Amino acid sequence: MLSADLYRRFFGFLDEKIPEKIIISTSNEISQLPFETLITPDNFYLIEKATVQYISTFKDFNTEIVSKTQKTLTTRILITL
């Protein structure tokens, strides 16, 4: 299935340890890909396993981290494509 193949290509390095939040920064045609709909190895949509957020620049990523309080610690990963 194409969706599962794309998941393995982009997120296979996670070894099934999907973080709570995935922040994606893309460019060009790949920005049209709805990453939320990729199928994980255990046959769930990515959106069912993690919050997916898109940012346009790395500056947006830094701003988000600084603005968060220390009350909740979440595991997150930034993917730049």
Side-chain angles (χ1 to χ4, degrees), residues 58-73:
F58 189 70
K59 179 182 173 193
D60 295 336
F61 181 71
N62 287 332
T63 302
E64 178 188 338
I65 289 176
V66 169
S67 68
K68 292 286 182 190
T69 66
Q70 294 299 323
K71 292 180 182 176
T72 58
L73 179 62

Side-chain angles (χ1 to χ4, degrees), residues 9-45:
R9 177 178 284 271
F10 293 124
F11 302 107
F13 67 93
L14 294 175
D15 291 328
E16 298 184 25
K17 295 176 183 137
I18 301 169
E20 294 175 21
K21 185 171 192 176
I22 299 173
I23 302 171
I24 300 171
S25 176
T26 61
S27 61
N28 301 324
E29 295 82 21
I30 201 160
S31 65
Q32 302 300 313
L33 178 66
F35 286 87
E36 298 93 337
T37 63
L38 299 182
I39 302 294
T40 63
D42 52 355
N43 291 317
F44 287 94
Y45 288 109

